[in-house]
Amino acid sequence: MKSTEEVRAIVEALKELYPDGICSLDYEKDYELLFSVRLAAQCTDERVNKVTPALFARFPTLEALANADISEVEQYIHSTGFFRAKARDIVLASQMLLSEYGGKVPGTMEDLLKLPGVGRKTANLMLGDVFHVPGVVVADTHCIRITGLLGLTDGSKDPTKVEMQLRKVLPPEESNDFCHRLVFHGRAVCIARRPQCGECVLRPWCDYFSKNVAEPAKD
Ligand code: SF4
């Protein structure tokens, strides 16, 4: 269990390293972020950013997406994987946004979770990035892995458990940006299967480092 001071030190160290705690998906409209996050499931943000300009140029409004032929949407997003489910979710969610929410992305967890293809991770990201709700935690693969290594969680791989554990320890006003910074850190330093601990500013507070790198376990 980390002390409040240790958690704060981790948060501040990442903030210093990555001043811009922002989402790496490109978007202009709120619903574009929603659909970009859907497309990013099992895909990289980089790949998603390559396909969304053409998708949103072909279907420039929520109405256009709601009336789109799903098979045509599939063609635009094919390279992101799971394209059939993603295309269906985008079109159905567009229809629901128009019919139930006046064409606006809703601002509560409860309503967001009603949208096709939207789970807690996506809902948290929308609440944090669009509505600036404090305390949200986007428990994606980087967040789950790195906070487990650090010892901010019990090492659970369950996104909801990780979210709940982090909600208890992170400063609410920092939690959303902190999660974005973990993505940067997971790509640049704490890389899956080959964390670059020697170059990591989080070493002083990292359980993995203290147990496995600073003093390697004996055989
Ligand atoms: Fe990851 Fe190593 Fe940094 Fe810990 S010290 S956060 S394991 S890179």
Side-chain angles (χ1 to χ4, degrees):
M1 197 67 167
K2 298 271 180 260
S3 68
T4 306
E5 289 71 28
E6 287 173 316
V7 174
R8 180 59 78 172
I10 291 169
V11 168
E12 291 302 322
L14 273 193
K15 191 191 269 192
E16 195 170 320
L17 191 58
Y18 311 105
D20 295 326
I22 54 170
C23 182
S24 49
L25 291 166
D26 298 334
Y27 68 100
E28 290 179 6
K29 301 168 187 168
D30 297 349
Y31 71 79
E32 292 181 356
L33 176 61
L34 183 72
F35 298 151
S36 291
V37 177
R38 179 68 188 98
L39 292 173
Q42 310 293 318
C43 184
T44 64
D45 291 358
E46 191 182 5
R47 163 62 46 195
V48 172
N49 287 340
K50 284 194 175 131
V51 308
T52 47
L55 174 70
F56 296 137
R58 170 65 185 87
F59 304 104
T61 64
L62 208 45
E63 287 78 4
L65 281 166
N67 291 314
D69 183 339
I70 292 177
S71 62
E72 190 181 354
V73 175
E74 288 175 359
Q75 291 168 26
Y76 282 88
I77 65 168
H78 191 277
S79 65
T80 67
F82 301 96
F83 61 94
R84 289 192 206 288
K86 289 177 180 177
R88 188 196 60 226
D89 286 342
I90 287 171
V91 172
L92 293 181
S94 297
Q95 293 170 358
M96 193 168 176
L97 286 174
L98 287 167
S99 63
E100 306 286 326
Y101 300 107
K104 303 252 186 273
V105 176
T108 66
M109 175 69 78
E110 188 187 4
D111 283 335
L112 283 163
L113 291 177
K114 290 177 185 164
L115 295 166
V118 174
R120 289 192 68 86
K121 184 182 84 173
T122 304
N124 270 303
L125 190 142
M126 296 305 292
L127 291 174
D129 280 13
V130 175
F131 299 99
H132 309 294
V133 173
V136 302
V137 170
V138 179
D140 70 357
T141 178
H142 295 289
C143 173
I144 291 169
R145 182 171 52 79
I146 300 173
T147 57
L149 291 169
L150 287 166
L152 287 172
T153 70
D154 64 7
S156 171
K157 303 287 183 234
D158 180 283
T160 305
K161 284 188 184 154
V162 169
E163 178 194 334
M164 296 310 163
Q165 289 175 23
L166 291 177
R167 277 180 182 265
K168 285 187 189 151
V169 297
L170 290 174
E173 71 283 5
E174 297 285 355
S175 62
N176 186 49
D177 290 355
F178 178 72
C179 292
H180 285 317
R181 292 181 176 116
L182 287 177
V183 176
F184 294 134
H185 203 58
R187 288 176 185 153
V189 181
C190 191
I191 301 160
R193 286 186 290 279
R194 50 184 177 91
Q196 309 294 301
C197 300
E199 300 167 20
C200 182
V201 298
L202 302 182
R203 275 179 301 172
W205 311 284
C206 179
D207 284 3
Y208 176 87
F209 179 80
S210 61
K211 286 180 194 156
N212 299 287
V213 183
E215 294 176 40
K218 295 189 175 113
D219 288 334

